[in-house]
């Protein structure tokens, strides 16, 4: 995680222009849903909230509670920790692909923004049943 002051610079530098606009929309949406300020992770992920985890293997760390990355090819939305089945929400979302903890969206106009808000909230609620989530 980096300093919050890096966030405006990161958002300003997002390209192409469509991704720049989508990043601004997603930043506002995540702030609305979470009530938290973003922090920059790994130089290209905006994260909202954090959680400390310890796996059965003993591996532990701190990671973002939810967030997104405006990658050039597609938007990556992080729904942590990726254990819950959100199929009932995803059926109404619109065009997307999924990974373990990621949702991939080609363009925001492909998805229902209200459903995306519901998904973000559901992911945070699920995460909070496993580990305490700390606001940023």
């Amino acid at each position: 995680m980096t300093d919050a002051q890096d966030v405006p610079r990161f958002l300003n530098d997002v390209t192409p222009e469509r991704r720049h606009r989508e990043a601004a929309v997603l930043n506002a949406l995540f702030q609305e849903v979470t009530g938290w300020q973003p922090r920059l992770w790994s130089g290209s992920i905006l994260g909202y909230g954090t959680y400390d985890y310890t796996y059965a293997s003993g591996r532990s760390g701190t990671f973002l509670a939810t967030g997104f990355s405006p990658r050039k090819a597609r938007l990556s939305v992080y729904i942590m920790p990726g254990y819950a089945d959100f199929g009932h929400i995803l059926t109404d979302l619109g065009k997307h692909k999924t990974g373990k903890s990621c949702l991939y969206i080609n363009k925001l106009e492909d998805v229902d923004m209200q459903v995306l808000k519901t998904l973000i909230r559901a992911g945070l609620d699920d995460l909070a049943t496993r580990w305490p989530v700390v606001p940023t």
Side-chain angles (χ1 to χ4, degrees):
M1 181 169 55
T2 59
D3 193 308
Q5 294 175 345
D6 292 334
V7 171
R9 184 176 331 130
F10 170 75
L11 286 170
N12 188 58
D13 291 345
V14 171
T15 59
E17 181 59 32
R18 182 182 84 195
R19 282 290 182 256
H20 178 78
R21 289 189 308 271
E22 290 173 327
V25 168
L26 282 175
N27 181 42
L29 182 135
F30 273 87
Q31 288 186 53
E32 176 187 338
V33 171
T34 66
W36 305 330
Q37 294 301 308
R39 295 289 184 267
L40 192 60
W41 291 75
S42 303
S44 65
I45 301 171
L46 288 183
Y48 305 79
T50 64
Y51 71 102
D52 294 327
Y53 62 87
T54 302
Y55 295 134
S57 66
R59 180 175 174 227
S60 63
T62 300
F63 201 56
L64 59 101
T66 190
F68 74 94
S69 181
R71 304 194 189 283
K72 288 185 182 186
R74 57 190 172 186
L75 301 163
S76 297
V77 176
Y78 298 92
I79 305 297
M80 309 308 293
Y83 300 140
D85 177 6
F86 295 118
H88 63 288
I89 299 172
L90 292 172
T91 58
D92 295 329
L93 180 63
K95 189 176 176 182
H96 68 279
K97 292 183 181 181
T98 57
K100 183 175 179 181
S101 295
C102 283
L103 177 75
Y104 302 107
I105 301 168
N106 288 333
K107 52 190 178 211
L108 281 185
E109 60 203 34
D110 287 343
V111 299
D112 182 314
M113 297 302 281
Q114 291 303 317
V115 175
L116 183 56
K117 287 180 186 182
T118 299
L119 180 63
I120 293 164
R121 174 51 45 205
L124 284 171
D125 292 347
D126 179 64
L127 177 61
T129 68
R130 294 159 175 35
W131 294 289
V133 175
V134 178
T136 50

